[in-house]
């Protein structure tokens, strides 16, 4: 399948560091910091994976509430089973405590007698302890069978005999897991805890299996550890070893007498992320449990990347006998307080979590029931909402996966309405499905940032314009993705009365009502503090105060679009690039004209193309950040939006001027400068070539062979290391270094005059075919935007004093303390944006015509040479 791309996705894995970074999302003040230099960007990303400031602790009862089954029968059955298994575990641990005290007394008496019988006592005491444990388990199993005979379905049936094989397996598990619950703080090596922890999970799963016939509501799945501990993932790009992997297995396929084996270095069997339910990161008691959290966060990211139907993830951090339960949501994580398995209540809490998981529906475990993976057939079944109905599509896999632990979790599928058949004809996708968790307003009707709503409007309005047959417009087919279906994802859940309801899948609906209400209260308090800080503040600290908003609503959305394109890295030369950019801007002009919509995220990631040569056509995608002029509230400039190097100056400075067409054209100039400075084909042609950007990605295992001084400059990040290079950079690199105000100041200085802008174009890669054509076009665009406006106050890029202000400032000595106001030419030009935009579009149309002539000439030459 040819490589496909769609908007709003994370960067491709083979992207060089010269590819810009996504910066802002809807109202995401926590992602827009006032200090946004390179080190701060890296620190912010490191925080994302290293847990700093991205999780909050919540009480243990609230965390356990997240795993309570919805069905009343399952809730009652799990509660009874929790009490039963917890009592069994407690009796076994109590028996161990009394036996340990007896052994110590016997050892002391032996030493007093000369120590001759001390060693001889140990085997007998161990055997007696094993016998007592087996007796306790045997009685528990017999009690479960007796309860089974009391069920209506079991009347007239006699109790089964004691399963001696199962009792022996459980007894052997007890010996191991006591080393964790009783002696966990005594272990000095992590690997010594792997088997005891695994045996505890296996013991609880075995108890659930043995008691399934005693329940009116049967458990659905069992949580069991992978047979090998401390292994690398077979399908992961991070080669670090994961301590313990928890998988889901069907109850019927689980065998109680299957014991957990110790890791063997000779066996290459490895776990798979696609099968992983949760991870357990283990540290010894000498390490703080907080030291386990960063690794747990980093490894859990891979689950999102490989499992395309995962909504949230569970995890456990362990330090000796201390445990912290972590619940990962799309925007942040909730963590329980530390519980000590040496305590009775803590052991019951962990048992409660494991048993509750076994009775939960798939959506409560973090899986998306609207995306079904048919593994044997090799395809995904994806459901998309459309006008109250549900449409079904089929895909062989995601083109883009969610590569981050927190954020939008954008996933994209090339799909069709035809079900793939293994061994049949090749699957031909004709649609693109995009799913994400963007921030949104609470109500669907009030969500003015909904991409489905924008794209549906664009599709309908442009189809009407085409039907009218306007002569001044070209055919826009293929220049934008057409809406097919889409909306907010809904999950079918049970309410308190047992009635099945379709509930919108949001970051709030994932949580229990108690936690949701608590977070709403905290969010309200922080919003109140924010408004108070803004009312009292008169300086630039407002940006900092906005960062206290930490719990925005994220909504699970999915949209299906008709139209598939290829990324810019497959464009062969500047002539094709000019044609593609001209098509995109003409398409955007038509969308603005007929739909009153501004895109607001012009970037290389959101521009695709179809065809090649003289028939090449550009495609504008990703309307996640679009705003509509029909909605007055959406025009309030209270946020930054876009990709940092391509963001307009007014966008960076968050000025009080409305976003206009000129901001889009300014972004186009930056796109041309970036692609001209950094060959956009580099990712395809020379993946091994060192990029000119001061930061470049290399595999983490390569860092081991570098000098110690270079290792100190490396920052582990997302399975890669970011290494600083001392080589000189291109001028455009300054557009994404420093805080946002410095980026804006640098862009003002570079755009202000022809000579200052000439320094930028001098950095263009002259090895790119037809690069002079691109230089000519970008200079013309800058000239019309910056130099050509009629009024003096609309010219230039730097702030300036007006004539009247300068005259008053020079002569009014009575008020010399007054700071004169400056005029911003960008704000002044925004008042005549439509006039300037027409001139800019004409430049691109002329450039496209000339480029197409040269492409046709080249095609004719190639055809003649082949004859």
């Amino acid at each position: 399948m040819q490589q496909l791309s769609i908007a709003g996705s994370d960067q491709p894995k083979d992207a060089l560091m010269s590819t810009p970074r996504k910066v802002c999302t809807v109202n995401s003040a926590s992602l827009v910091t006032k200090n946004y230099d390179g080190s701060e960007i890296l620190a912010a990303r490191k925080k994302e994976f290293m847990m700093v400031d991205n999780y909050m602790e919540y009480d243990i009862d609230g965390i356990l509430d997240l795993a309570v089954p919805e069905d009343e029968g399952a809730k009652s059955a799990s509660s009874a089973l929790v009490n039963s298994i917890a009592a069994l575990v407690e009796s076994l641990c109590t028996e161990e405590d009394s036996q340990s005290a007896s052994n110590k007394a016997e050892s002391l008496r032996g030493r007093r007698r000369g120590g001759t019988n001390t060693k001889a006592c140990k085997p007998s005491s161990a055997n007696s302890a094993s016998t007592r444990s087996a007796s306790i388990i045997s009685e528990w199993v017999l009690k479960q069978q007796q309860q089974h005979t009391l069920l209506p379905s079991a009347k007239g049936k006699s109790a089964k005999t004691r399963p001696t094989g199962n009792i022996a397996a459980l007894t052997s598990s007890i010996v191991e897991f006591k080393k964790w619950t009783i002696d966990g703080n005594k272990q000095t090596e992590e690997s010594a805890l792997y088997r005891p922890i695994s045996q505890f999970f296996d013991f609880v799963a075995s108890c659930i299996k043995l008691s399934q016939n005693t329940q009116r509501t049967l458990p659905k799945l069992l949580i069991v550890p992978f047979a090998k501990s401390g292994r690398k993932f077979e399908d992961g790009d991070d080669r670090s070893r994961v301590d313990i992997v928890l998988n889901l297995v069907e109850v019927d396929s689980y065998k109680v007498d299957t014991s957990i084996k110790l890791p063997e270095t000779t066996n290459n069997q490895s776990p798979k992320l696609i099968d992983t339910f949760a991870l357990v990161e283990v540290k010894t008691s000498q390490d703080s449990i907080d030291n386990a959290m960063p690794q747990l966060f980093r490894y859990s990211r891979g689950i999102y990347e490989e499992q395309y139907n995962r909504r949230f993830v569970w995890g456990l951090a362990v330090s000796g006998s201390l445990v912290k339960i972590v619940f990962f949501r799309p925007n942040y994580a909730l963590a329980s307080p530390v519980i000590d398995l040496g305590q009775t209540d803590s052991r019951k809490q962990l048992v409660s979590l494991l048993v509750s998981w076994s009775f939960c529906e798939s959506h409560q475990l973090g899986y998306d029931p609207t995306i079904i993976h048919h593994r044997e057939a090799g395809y995904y079944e994806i459901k998309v909402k459309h006008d109250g109905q549900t449409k079904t599509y089929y895909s062989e896999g995601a083109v883009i996966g969610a590569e981050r632990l927190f954020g939008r979790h954008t996933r994209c599928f090339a799909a069709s309405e035809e079900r793939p058949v293994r061994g049949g004809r090749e699957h031909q996708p004709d649609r693109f499905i995009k799913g994400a968790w963007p921030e949104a307003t609470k109500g669907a009707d009030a969500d003015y940032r909904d991409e489905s709503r924008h794209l549906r409007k664009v599709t309908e309005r442009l189809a009407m314009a085409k039907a009218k047959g306007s002569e001044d417009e070209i055919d826009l087919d293929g220049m934008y993705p057409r809406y097919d279906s889409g909306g907010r994802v809904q999950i079918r859940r049970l309410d308190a009365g047992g009635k099945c309801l379709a509930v919108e899948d949001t970051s709030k609906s994932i949580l229990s009502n108690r936690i949701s209400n608590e977070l709403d209260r905290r969010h309200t308090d922080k919003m109140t503090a924010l408004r108070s800080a803004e009312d009292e503040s008169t300086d630039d600290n407002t940006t900092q105060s906005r960062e206290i908003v930490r719990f925005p609503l994220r909504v699970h959305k999915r949209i299906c679009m008709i139209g598939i394109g290829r990324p810019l890295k497959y464009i062969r030369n500047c002539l094709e690039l000019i044609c593609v950019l001209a098509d995109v801007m003409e398409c955007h002009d038509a969308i603005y004209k007929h739909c009153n919509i501004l895109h607001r995220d012009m970037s290389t990631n959101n521009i695709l193309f179809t065809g090649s040569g003289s028939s090449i056509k550009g495609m504008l995608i990703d309307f996640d950040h679009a705003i509509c002029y029909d909605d007055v509230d959406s025009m309030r400039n209270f946020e930054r939006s876009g990709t940092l190097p391509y963001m307009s100056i007014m966008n960076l400075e968050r000025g009080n001027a409305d976003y206009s067409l000129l901001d889009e054209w300014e972004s186009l100039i930056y796109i041309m400068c970036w692609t001209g400075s950094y060959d956009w084909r580099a990712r395809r042609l020379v993946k091994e070539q060192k990029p000119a950007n001061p930061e470049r990605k290399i595999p983490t295992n390569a860092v081991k062979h570098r000098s110690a001084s270079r290792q100190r400059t490396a920052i582990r990040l997302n399975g890669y290391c970011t290494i600083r290079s001392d080589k000189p950079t291109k001028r455009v690199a300054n557009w994404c270094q420093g805080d946002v105000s410095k980026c804006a100041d640098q862009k003002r200085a570079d755009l202000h005059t022809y000579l200052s802008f000439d320094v930028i174009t001098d950095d263009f890669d002259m090895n790119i075919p037809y690069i002079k054509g691109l230089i000519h076009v970008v200079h013309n665009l800058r000239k019309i935007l910056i130099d050509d406006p009629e009024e003096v106050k609309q010219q230039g890029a730097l702030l300036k004093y007006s004539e009247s202000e300068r005259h008053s400032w020079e002569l009014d000595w009575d008020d010399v303390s007054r700071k004169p106001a400056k005029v911003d030419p960008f704000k002044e030009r925004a008042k005549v944006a439509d006039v300037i935009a027409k001139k800019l579009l004409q430049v691109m149309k002329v450039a496209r015509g000339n480029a197409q002539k040269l492409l046709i000439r080249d095609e004719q030459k190639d055809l003649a040479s082949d004859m």
Side-chain angles (χ1 to χ4, degrees):
M1 183 187 297
Q2 68 177 12
Q3 180 163 354
L4 308 173
S5 180
I6 196 66
S9 62
D10 297 323
Q11 297 290 343
K13 293 180 182 178
D14 61 347
L16 300 178
M17 286 302 293
S18 58
T19 304
R21 299 172 281 268
K22 278 279 186 180
V23 178
C24 311
T25 54
V26 186
N27 286 335
S28 184
S30 61
L31 296 180
V32 185
T33 59
K34 193 170 183 181
N35 298 320
Y36 217 100
D37 56 19
S39 61
E40 289 295 331
I41 292 175
L42 295 178
R45 288 192 168 188
K46 188 177 180 182
K47 285 180 180 180
E48 174 179 335
F49 299 103
M50 305 305 281
M51 169 278 295
V52 180
D53 202 32
N54 264 321
Y55 86 98
M56 59 169 291
E57 285 195 355
Y58 205 83
D59 62 87
I60 183 65
D61 292 334
I63 298 297
L64 295 179
D65 282 348
L66 299 175
V68 173
E70 292 178 346
D71 181 71
E72 288 298 326
K75 186 186 301 184
S76 176
S78 65
S79 177
L81 193 54
V82 166
N83 293 331
S84 176
I85 297 178
L88 174 62
V89 172
E90 186 58 28
S91 62
L92 293 170
C93 292
T94 304
E95 183 273 333
E96 172 66 16
D97 291 339
S98 61
Q99 181 61 30
S100 298
S102 176
N103 289 342
K104 290 180 180 179
E106 182 66 24
S107 176
L108 180 60
R109 286 193 295 269
R111 282 195 293 270
R112 290 175 178 175
R113 290 193 299 265
T116 55
N117 297 327
T118 304
K119 294 183 179 179
C121 294
K122 291 184 178 179
S124 60
S125 14
N127 292 333
S128 61
S130 178
T131 302
R132 283 190 292 272
S133 297
S135 176
I136 293 174
I137 295 175
S138 178
E139 292 177 2
W140 183 84
V141 172
L142 183 60
K143 183 178 180 181
Q144 299 300 309
Q145 293 176 349
Q146 291 173 347
Q147 291 179 359
H148 170 65
T149 61
L150 299 178
L151 294 177
S153 60
K155 287 184 177 181
K157 298 181 181 180
S158 59
K160 298 180 181 179
T161 59
R162 298 183 182 183
T164 56
N166 293 340
I167 294 174
L170 290 176
T171 304
S172 63
S173 297
I174 296 168
V175 177
E176 291 296 333
F177 81 66
K178 285 179 180 179
K179 296 178 182 178
W180 181 34
T181 57
I182 304 298
D183 301 325
N185 293 329
K186 299 178 182 179
Q187 305 297 335
T188 58
E189 294 184 2
E190 292 180 13
S191 58
L193 287 168
Y194 292 166
R195 182 179 176 88
I197 295 174
S198 297
Q199 288 288 10
F200 183 86
F201 291 114
D202 189 61
F203 178 83
V204 175
S206 299
C207 291
I208 297 174
K209 170 73 174 181
L210 292 174
S211 62
Q212 63 173 327
N213 292 329
T214 70
Q215 307 296 330
R216 291 180 172 85
T217 302
L218 299 180
K220 297 175 174 57
L221 296 166
L222 296 178
I223 287 77
V224 298
F226 185 74
K228 306 296 179 181
S229 304
R231 292 301 181 96
K232 300 176 182 177
F233 281 115
E234 181 179 324
D235 52 354
D237 58 358
D238 193 330
R239 306 314 300 166
S240 301
R241 296 181 181 273
V242 181
D243 294 340
I244 298 175
V245 176
L246 300 181
N247 293 335
L248 296 174
V249 299
E250 295 181 356
V251 178
D252 294 337
S253 63
Y254 179 73
K255 296 181 179 180
V256 176
D257 56 356
T258 302
S259 60
I260 303 294
K261 298 180 180 179
L262 286 172
E264 300 175 3
T265 56
T266 57
N267 194 334
N268 293 325
Q269 186 181 10
S270 299
K272 293 183 179 180
L273 280 167
I274 197 171
D275 298 324
T276 300
F277 167 68
L279 299 176
V280 182
E281 182 60 30
V282 180
K283 298 293 181 183
T284 61
S285 59
Q286 286 77 16
D287 291 331
S288 169
I289 197 169
D290 288 336
N291 294 336
M293 295 290 279
Q295 288 175 283
L296 178 63
F297 274 56
R298 181 158 59 90
Y299 298 153
S300 298
R301 176 194 63 84
I303 299 178
Y304 283 115
E305 184 175 0
E306 294 297 329
Q307 298 183 17
Y308 306 140
N309 60 341
R310 202 61 186 265
R311 298 159 53 239
F312 57 84
V313 174
W314 290 88
L316 286 88
V318 176
S319 174
S321 63
L322 304 180
V323 178
K324 179 174 285 191
I325 305 168
V326 185
F327 179 76
F328 297 100
R329 298 172 62 207
N331 46 357
Y332 63 94
L334 290 173
S336 72
V338 175
I339 60 176
D340 186 358
L341 294 188
Q343 305 295 325
T344 301
D345 292 341
S346 297
R347 289 194 289 265
K348 183 176 181 179
Q349 289 165 349
L350 184 56
V351 169
S352 174
L353 180 67
L354 298 178
V355 174
S356 297
W357 279 342
S358 297
F359 284 86
C360 282
E361 300 290 342
S362 62
H363 67 85
Q364 289 185 277
L365 298 176
Y367 296 93
D368 186 352
T370 63
I371 299 181
I372 303 174
H373 186 196
H374 300 275
R375 298 189 64 173
E376 294 183 358
Y379 67 86
Y380 288 84
E381 180 181 338
I382 307 171
K383 300 183 182 299
V384 183
K385 183 181 176 182
H386 178 67
D387 291 338
Q389 304 296 323
T390 300
K391 300 183 71 173
T392 303
Y393 304 91
Y394 303 94
S395 173
E396 292 182 336
V399 178
I400 300 294
E403 297 182 350
R404 297 186 180 183
L405 184 60
F406 302 114
R408 298 166 57 85
H409 286 178
T410 301
R411 297 181 176 98
C412 301
F413 301 82
S416 69
E417 293 182 313
E418 182 179 355
R419 188 192 306 265
V421 179
R422 177 165 290 183
R425 68 185 184 89
E426 184 180 358
H427 184 234
Q428 299 292 335
D430 57 357
R431 286 167 170 79
F432 222 103
I433 298 176
K434 172 185 172 184
W437 288 79
E439 296 176 16
T441 51
K442 292 185 178 181
D445 296 336
D447 189 2
Y448 61 85
R449 297 294 299 274
D450 184 62
E451 184 177 14
S452 297
R453 176 201 248 173
H454 288 323
L455 202 55
R456 187 168 191 169
K457 180 179 181 180
V458 168
T459 303
E460 294 174 352
R461 295 281 183 90
L462 293 186
M464 294 173 57
K466 181 180 179 180
K468 293 180 180 179
S470 179
E471 297 181 356
D472 60 338
E473 294 182 2
I474 64 171
D475 186 7
L476 298 176
D477 286 346
M479 291 188 183
Y480 64 95
R482 290 185 291 116
Y483 172 85
D484 185 56
S485 59
R488 298 189 174 194
V489 176
Q490 293 186 338
I491 304 294
R492 302 195 68 83
R493 304 182 60 174
L494 296 177
D495 62 4
K499 184 178 180 180
C500 187
L501 301 174
V503 180
E504 286 187 354
D505 195 18
T506 67
S507 57
K508 182 177 179 179
S509 64
I510 289 175
L511 303 175
S512 65
N513 291 332
R514 186 163 71 92
I515 296 182
S516 295
N517 294 335
E518 173 66 15
L519 294 183
D520 283 345
R521 183 189 63 78
R522 297 187 187 185
H523 184 264
T524 302
D525 293 344
K526 292 187 177 183
M527 286 297 294
T528 302
L530 169 62
R531 296 189 184 99
S532 301
E534 290 182 340
D535 292 340
E536 297 174 0
S537 176
T538 56
D539 54 18
D540 294 335
N541 292 329
T542 305
T543 305
Q544 292 295 100
S545 64
R546 290 180 185 271
E547 294 178 12
I548 63 175
V549 184
R550 294 188 55 198
F551 307 116
L553 178 72
R554 284 192 179 272
V555 178
H556 191 186
K557 299 180 181 180
R558 188 174 298 142
I559 180 174
C560 179
M561 299 163 280
I562 300 176
I564 296 177
R566 306 180 71 192
L568 289 183
K569 66 180 180 180
Y570 290 99
I571 288 181
R572 298 177 298 177
N573 54 54
C574 287
L575 298 181
E576 291 184 344
L577 180 64
I578 291 172
C579 292
V580 167
L581 296 180
D583 288 345
V584 165
M585 296 311 297
E586 187 160 13
C587 176
H588 186 279
D589 183 75
I591 291 174
Y592 175 74
K593 177 180 177 181
H594 296 289
C595 310
N596 292 334
I597 289 177
L598 288 172
H599 188 273
R600 293 211 316 159
D601 191 13
M602 286 287 182
S603 70
T604 54
N605 297 321
N606 295 336
I607 298 175
L608 308 180
F609 74 96
T610 57
S612 61
S614 59
S615 61
I616 196 169
K617 183 176 289 189
M619 178 187 294
L620 179 63
I621 59 174
D622 193 356
F623 289 79
D624 265 350
H625 297 281
I627 53 176
C628 181
Y629 270 92
D630 295 340
D631 214 330
V632 178
D633 292 337
S634 69
M635 293 307 301
R636 294 175 182 172
N637 196 358
F638 59 88
E639 63 183 4
R640 301 185 185 94
S641 173
T643 307
L644 188 57
Y646 312 134
M647 292 169 65
S648 67
I649 292 173
M650 296 305 299
N651 193 5
L652 287 170
E653 294 179 344
R654 197 181 289 175
N656 54 15
D658 290 342
Y659 198 94
S660 71
L661 270 174
L662 297 187
D663 292 276
E664 310 284 22
W665 283 100
E666 187 182 340
S667 295
L668 178 69
I669 293 176
Y670 300 144
I671 291 174
M672 289 183 170
C673 292
W674 198 277
T675 54
S677 299
Y678 298 109
D679 190 346
W680 69 88
R681 306 169 303 155
R683 281 178 277 170
R684 174 174 58 94
L685 299 178
V686 274
K687 293 183 180 180
E688 302 299 328
Q689 179 181 346
K690 296 180 180 180
N693 198 288
E695 299 170 0
R696 57 190 178 90
K697 284 185 177 181
I698 63 171
T700 51
N701 54 11
V703 180
K704 298 177 181 178
H705 306 291
R706 296 183 176 271
S707 64
S709 61
R710 292 297 298 274
Q711 288 188 38
R712 283 194 295 269
T713 64
I715 300 177
R716 188 177 294 274
L717 182 65
N718 194 11
Y720 288 86
C721 286
T722 301
I723 293 186
R724 288 283 180 178
S725 174
D726 298 329
K727 292 186 177 181
T729 64
K730 297 294 182 77
R731 178 87 172 186
V732 293
N734 296 326
W735 294 349
C736 57
Q737 294 181 1
D739 58 44
V740 289
S741 62
K742 290 182 179 178
C743 294
D745 292 342
Q746 184 63 51
K747 288 182 176 181
R748 284 184 183 273
D750 291 337
L751 291 179
H752 187 58
T753 66
Y754 173 86
L755 294 177
S756 62
F757 191 70
D758 203 34
V759 176
I760 298 293
T761 56
D762 283 345
D763 265 350
F764 280 21
D765 189 345
M766 302 308 294
N767 294 320
I768 303 176
Y770 299 104
I771 188 64
K772 291 184 179 179
L774 185 65
I775 294 175
H776 174 76
V777 174
V778 73
H779 268 289
N780 282 344
L781 292 177
R782 191 215 69 85
K783 181 175 180 295
I784 293 176
L785 179 64
I786 304 298
D787 298 339
D788 284 359
E790 297 179 357
E791 298 187 22
V792 176
K793 61 182 179 180
Q794 297 174 353
Q795 298 173 359
L798 298 176
L799 297 175
K800 62 181 71 175
Y801 297 110
S802 64
E803 292 297 327
S804 58
E805 191 67 46
R806 182 181 293 107
H807 180 74
S808 173
W809 180 34
E810 292 174 351
L811 298 181
D812 190 2
W813 291 93
D814 296 332
D815 191 17
V816 294
S817 62
R818 181 179 63 87
K819 184 178 180 180
K822 290 185 177 181
V823 175
D824 191 340
F826 286 93
K827 292 182 180 179
E828 297 298 325
R829 283 193 292 267
K831 300 175 182 178
V832 290
D834 292 346
V835 177
I836 300 177
K838 289 181 180 179
K839 297 179 181 179
L840 294 168
L841 182 59
Q842 186 61 30
V843 171
M844 292 303 297
K845 287 182 177 180
V846 173
R848 179 180 59 194
N850 293 330
Q852 287 178 337
K853 292 179 182 178
L854 293 176
L855 289 171
I856 293 174
R857 184 197 66 183
D858 290 347
E859 291 173 355
Q860 292 174 347
K861 287 183 179 180
D862 293 340
L863 182 61
S865 62
D866 293 339
M867 294 180 62

